[in-house]
Amino acid sequence: MFRCLCTIYGLIVLSSQEVEGFGLKCLRCDDVLEPRFCERIEYCQDGDVCGVQRYRKENGDVSFWSGCLPHSNCAKVTNRTILTTNSRRAVHGSVLCQECCNGDLCNSEGCGAPGLPTSRGPMCFNCAHTLNPSDCHHVTVCGANELCFLGEKPIFGQRYFTSHCEDVHACENHASAPIIFGRKRLLRGQRSYTPCSGCCHGDLCNTNCNATFTPNTVVNSGSTAAPTGTSVQERPGNYAFYAQLTLMAQTGHVIFKNVTTNEGSAYSGTTGIFTCKYSGAHAFSWTIATSSQRYTNADIVLNDVAIGSSFTDSRGSSVAADSSTGFVVYNLKVGDKVRVNINGTADALYSTFSGWRLQQNNSSFYAKAMSSLDRPSSASHGFEFQSVVNNGNVYDSTNGVFTCPETGLYALAFAVETSGLDFMVYFYRGGSKLNEIGVWPDSTNGLLQDTSSTLQIFLLTRGDKIYLYPSESDARIKPFHSTFSGWRIENPTSNTPAFVEYISSSTSTTPIRFNREALDITSSFSISSFQAPKDGVYLFFWNMEVSSRHLRTFLEVNDSIVGRTVSDGHTAGYDSGSNLAILRLRRNDNVRVAQDYTADGDQTMISGYFMFS
């Protein structure tokens, strides 16, 4: 499908043939030193995932293969295999490691090999002449001051496309002018059109002319590069937002239009973008729900570079639904822009986006699994997530341990994803569980992958060492979507509202009666409801577990619904659904969780704390 092209004051909006019917875009190489050195991609079939294999060749050298794999192959690793590439060539070798992942270019790392650096230019398509932009399969990583270029021109009466990296200053010269086929003079019956020509920022953005090309934007430091060309200044203050999806969204940038909270007005319900106004550490959470045998990869994107991701999988039954919640802590600068992109679908109402600035100078961290992680060899340390952000040097990637730097109130959150397994994961301290509230990812009975998340509040003492440890010896968590993060809230005081409540056994009572309490500093939670002790902005997180049925829950403030979760145990046996909401409350406002079936014990919980006045 071709559309017209136009130029408006240097902003070039271009369109051409669209790529339809493709699944993930994965790196595709047979014999490379590291997966990130691969410079070719392939479009996977629908339902395939990206794979990495480390193998030993017949001459003893160790190399890597990368490409698309059927999901069913991900659990199969043989001692002897032939990696077939085409009819003329095959790679013979012994597979030493195989890992799979969901997400465009996610197999740029794996099996112990490092990934692309966080500070870099974009990865761009790189082809001299193609009939359509989507015909290009070669890629390259650009320099710090380069953008992705896509242009077209007629050669021998045929339109050809060229894609490559382009210096940001040269991009300013790519203004398109009309081209006329035939004689220079426009006669009756002849057609003119404006050619595709411009630069864009973001990995693989120059695959088609539907991209928005902004010549004055520089991606000069990877995940922390903010658009330039506008004057920005620090605006100290409190910032927090919470927004819900109003209509089902499909692949692309998601706009959460129903904005419930927008303290500091940094989030736009029109664009779906949060723009940093006050530099410092920020936390973000997003929940994506999908149903009817769909699956969705979601990325939280900072200046067009993904800094976190989640995967939601409802395959296995026509009635199945699924949701997943992700967490990220990241250091932002004024002008940085954060949004959510998806590859798949997101259901309305249950899909949300939240973010808030953490208190100045408080310690915080964010770590994620860069490869599959097995159960640690000892209960004295945890899953070894790799550090991404480590403010205050409080997290140790070598043993997965967060060490409390000073006595105070802390929020700790994690999301774990597994495939083909089920097990509990808990917060641990000194070889023992911190409490009985765990999560139960379950993908044993049909679900291809499952994610479970929790956010809990703890009063910790300086020197406390906290980590994540599973219940089962065969526990294994998947890379990229499994994360561990935390932040200091403030010094403990007698009037800081913070609570963690859970249930010990199944209940069909609505509103849900939480019969177990792990924390309630101000005694503001009473069995089934939280009563705000003072005016201000509060954060709430709730995780709901169900067995063999479909469960919806509703976070209510004074009987009005402000948030939802969905879980479906029809296929997997057990399933959890979670969400996070940031709300401005008045003193004595009543917050509770209602349900439409029966919540299961132990994993069903709610937590919350006071953020600011």
Side-chain angles (χ1 to χ4, degrees):
M1 172 173 68
F2 267 96
R3 301 178 187 169
C4 68
L5 305 98
C6 34
T7 304
I8 305 174
Y9 303 115
L11 181 67
I12 308 172
V13 183
L14 307 153
S15 65
S16 180
Q17 288 191 345
E18 298 178 346
V19 183
E20 298 180 354
F22 291 123
L24 295 176
K25 293 187 282 287
C26 303
L27 293 177
R28 176 68 181 91
C29 283
D30 302 321
D31 185 2
V32 289
L33 180 65
E34 294 176 1
R36 61 182 177 177
F37 294 148
C38 182
E39 294 188 334
R40 183 175 176 82
I41 70 161
E42 66 175 335
Y43 295 95
C44 299
Q45 295 182 6
D46 191 31
D48 283 2
V49 295
C50 299
V52 172
Q53 290 183 332
R54 187 175 77 247
Y55 66 97
R56 180 175 285 110
K57 296 188 285 188
E58 292 182 334
N59 65 1
D61 291 344
V62 174
S63 191
F64 284 86
W65 173 95
S66 60
C68 301
L69 284 174
H71 196 286
S72 58
N73 286 12
C74 289
K76 300 174 183 177
V77 179
T78 58
N79 291 328
R80 178 72 180 174
T81 188
I82 297 178
L83 310 176
T84 303
T85 59
N86 55 43
S87 59
R88 295 172 294 176
R89 182 184 174 210
V91 178
H92 296 257
S94 300
V95 176
L96 305 176
C97 168
Q98 176 173 284
E99 291 182 357
C100 301
C101 59
N102 281 278
D104 290 343
L105 305 177
C106 65
N107 63 339
S108 62
E109 57 190 311
C111 285
L116 295 169
T118 55
S119 276
R120 61 175 175 87
M123 179 177 284
C124 304
F125 284 97
N126 184 33
C127 289
H129 300 102
T130 58
L131 288 174
N132 296 305
S134 60
D135 293 337
C136 181
H137 291 271
H138 292 278
V139 296
T140 187
V141 177
C142 299
N145 289 304
E146 292 182 317
L147 303 177
C148 298
F149 170 80
L150 178 62
E152 65 168 311
K153 63 179 180 179
I155 302 176
F156 308 125
Q158 174 67 51
R159 298 164 69 179
Y160 290 92
F161 293 85
T162 297
S163 54
H164 55 246
C165 299
E166 187 79 284
D167 183 88
V168 64
H169 300 295
C171 287
E172 298 176 1
N173 300 321
H174 287 302
S176 300
I179 288 179
I180 302 172
F181 280 106
R183 289 179 291 175
K184 291 183 180 179
R185 194 172 173 183
L186 185 61
L187 302 177
R188 180 179 297 178
Q190 292 179 319
R191 295 181 298 109
S192 69
Y193 75 100
T194 304
C196 171
S197 180
C199 297
C200 60
H201 54 85
D203 288 342
L204 304 184
C205 63
N206 60 337
T207 184
N208 65 66
C209 291
N210 287 323
T212 298
F213 294 98
T214 53
N216 294 323
T217 301
V218 184
V219 180
N220 56 11
S221 57
S223 62
T224 59
T228 61
T230 13
S231 175
V232 291
Q233 61 181 3
E234 299 281 354
R235 296 183 182 179
N238 294 316
Y239 292 92
F241 73 92
Y242 165 57
Q244 298 168 289
L245 193 63
T246 54
L247 298 171
M248 176 187 283
Q250 296 183 335
T251 297
H253 171 201
V254 182
I255 300 176
F256 300 84
K257 292 185 177 181
N258 182 14
V259 183
T260 301
T261 304
N262 199 6
E263 300 290 326
S265 302
Y267 175 79
S268 169
T270 303
T271 65
I273 295 174
F274 170 83
T275 302
C276 177
K277 296 184 178 181
Y278 186 18
S279 299
H282 287 65
F284 296 93
S285 178
W286 67 101
T287 295
I288 299 297
T290 192
S291 56
S292 302
Q293 302 193 65
R294 301 185 182 98
Y295 59 96
T296 301
N297 188 85
D299 292 323
I300 184 165
V301 176
L302 169 59
N303 302 331
D304 296 307
V305 176
I307 58 174
S309 61
S310 64
F311 187 70
T312 310
D313 193 345
S314 71
R315 288 174 290 182
S317 168
S318 60
V319 298
D322 192 38
S323 67
S324 59
T325 299
F327 306 100
V328 158
V329 173
Y330 227 78
N331 297 323
L332 303 186
K333 297 181 297 184
V334 173
D336 281 344
K337 297 183 182 298
V338 181
R339 67 177 190 270
V340 174
N341 286 352
I342 63 170
N343 184 1
T345 62
D347 289 351
L349 303 179
Y350 303 100
S351 298
T352 65
F353 184 28
S354 303
W356 59 102
R357 188 183 186 278
L358 301 179
Q359 290 194 15
Q360 189 78 1
N361 300 322
N362 275 358
S363 56
S364 58
F365 72 96
Y366 164 56
K368 66 178 178 179
M370 305 304 290
S371 60
S372 295
L373 299 178
D374 294 327
R375 184 189 190 186
S377 58
S378 167
S380 62
H381 62 274
F383 287 118
E384 296 173 0
F385 298 90
Q386 294 302 298
S387 175
V388 177
V389 171
N390 201 359
N391 296 319
N393 197 30
V394 294
Y395 177 78
D396 188 347
S397 296
T398 63
N399 57 19
V401 172
F402 159 73
T403 301
C404 176
E406 55 184 320
T407 298
L409 191 63
Y410 290 81
L412 298 176
F414 67 85
V416 288
E417 180 185 74
T418 191
S419 177
L421 298 170
D422 64 321
F423 48 86
M424 292 288 292
V425 180
Y426 298 96
F427 286 109
Y428 263 62
R429 176 177 57 190
S432 301
K433 291 184 285 188
L434 264 177
N435 58 35
E436 294 299 321
I437 309 171
V439 300
W440 180 269
D442 186 353
S443 64
T444 56
N445 296 326
L447 281 181
L448 299 178
Q449 294 181 194
D450 189 42
T451 303
S452 292
S453 307
T454 189
L455 185 155
Q456 300 178 34
I457 319 299
F458 299 97
L459 273 173
L460 299 179
T461 303
R462 181 179 180 181
D464 280 348
K465 297 183 181 298
I466 313 299
Y467 50 94
L468 307 182
Y469 194 76
S471 60
E472 305 296 325
S473 59
D474 65 345
R476 167 175 283 195
I477 61 174
K478 301 282 290 180
F480 311 120
H481 306 137
S482 298
T483 65
F484 182 24
S485 57
W487 54 93
R488 186 172 183 270
I489 299 173
E490 61 173 85
N491 291 317
T493 62
S494 59
N495 63 349
T496 302
F499 66 90
V500 181
E501 312 284 333
Y502 65 105
I503 63 176
S504 59
S505 59
S506 299
T507 178
S508 57
T509 303
T510 187
I512 296 175
R513 295 173 61 87
F514 295 90
N515 65 336
R516 293 289 185 270
E517 187 170 86
L519 177 74
D520 189 2
I521 292 181
T522 55
S523 300
S524 300
F525 203 99
S526 177
I527 304 297
S528 61
S529 65
F530 170 79
Q531 189 172 53
K534 58 181 178 179
D535 294 356
V537 176
Y538 292 77
L539 180 150
F540 296 93
F541 173 87
W542 70 112
N543 183 53
M544 301 288 120
E545 182 85 3
V546 68
S547 174
S548 304
R549 292 290 296 273
H550 185 277
L551 174 68
R552 296 179 301 167
T553 70
F554 312 92
L555 187 71
E556 299 178 343
V557 176
N558 303 331
D559 297 324
S560 296
I561 298 174
V562 294
R564 297 168 170 84
T565 69
V566 61
S567 4
D568 195 333
H570 278 103
T571 301
Y574 290 92
D575 188 42
S576 62
S578 56
N579 218 322
L580 185 147
I582 296 174
L583 306 169
R584 174 165 284 282
L585 302 180
R586 297 185 63 85
R587 186 172 182 268
N588 294 327
D589 277 349
N590 195 278
V591 181
R592 65 186 188 181
V593 179
Q595 63 173 340
D596 67 357
Y597 182 56
T598 300
D600 204 43
D602 295 331
Q603 299 90 52
T604 293
M605 53 79 66
I606 184 172
S607 63
Y609 69 89
F610 176 85
M611 301 178 73
F612 52 82
S613 297

